[in-house]
Amino acid sequence: MLTSTVCAAVSAAGLGIAALTAYRKRFLAATRIAAFSLIPIGLVMTGVIDWVTNIVFKPTVWAGFGVLALSAVLFMISRGVERRRGGIGNRKERKAVAADRSDAVAPAASAPSLGAGRGAAQPAAKGKAAQGKGGAPKDDFSDIEAILKKHGI
């Protein structure tokens, strides 16, 4: 009840200011002021003001917002923990995935692609370079050499 009275007073004051502005021959500004001053009374007439005051002044609504906030925080914590673990549930599942990874082999590879680290891959690369002095690696770079020669580099 009090909110509708306050909104009606604000609208009346705004319309009064709009009338004074129109009296000074500033019709465009007066029209804008009148439009803004009609908003509060329009909100009261549609019931939006009562709805907002019911939300703001009820403790159960604020408790509901608190529960929603708690839910969001718990969800974010669980997602953070899941990302740190790698997204897999228990220890048995992690071991099964680790076993699957050790058996991973590329389709045309002679050795596992995920098995050994950097140290084991380097001797194989040296061996391929020694074998392919006149073979495949030189063919791979022939296209690049042709492009560079074409551009004068």
Side-chain angles (χ1 to χ4, degrees):
M1 180 86 173
L2 181 63
T3 55
S4 60
T5 306
V6 170
C7 287
V10 168
S11 291
L15 289 174
I17 293 170
L20 289 174
T21 307
Y23 179 73
R24 294 181 185 161
K25 307 276 190 224
R26 297 179 59 201
F27 297 111
L28 186 61
T31 305
R32 282 193 197 122
I33 292 170
F36 280 117
S37 66
L38 291 174
I39 290 174
I41 197 70
L43 291 174
V44 168
M45 294 173 80
T46 58
V48 172
I49 297 294
D50 291 332
W51 178 74
V52 169
T53 55
N54 286 337
I55 286 176
V56 172
F57 295 119
K58 283 189 177 177
T60 55
V61 172
W62 286 106
F65 283 128
V67 169
L68 288 174
L70 178 64
S71 171
V73 167
L74 290 175
F75 179 72
M76 296 302 272
I77 288 171
S78 68
R79 293 288 294 176
V81 169
E82 183 181 21
R83 284 185 180 164
R84 290 189 87 176
R85 281 189 182 171
I88 300 172
N90 59 18
R91 190 173 182 182
K92 289 180 183 177
E93 291 175 0
R94 287 193 300 263
K95 283 186 177 180
V97 168
D100 289 342
R101 284 186 182 169
S102 66
D103 294 338
V105 177
S110 60
S113 56
L114 296 177
R118 192 182 270 182
Q122 288 175 349
K126 288 179 185 176
K128 285 183 182 178
Q131 289 175 353
K133 285 186 178 179
K138 193 169 187 178
D139 291 339
D140 291 341
F141 293 113
S142 63
D143 296 337
I144 296 170
E145 288 176 6
I147 293 170
L148 292 173
K149 286 180 183 177
K150 181 180 174 184
H151 292 288
I153 298 175

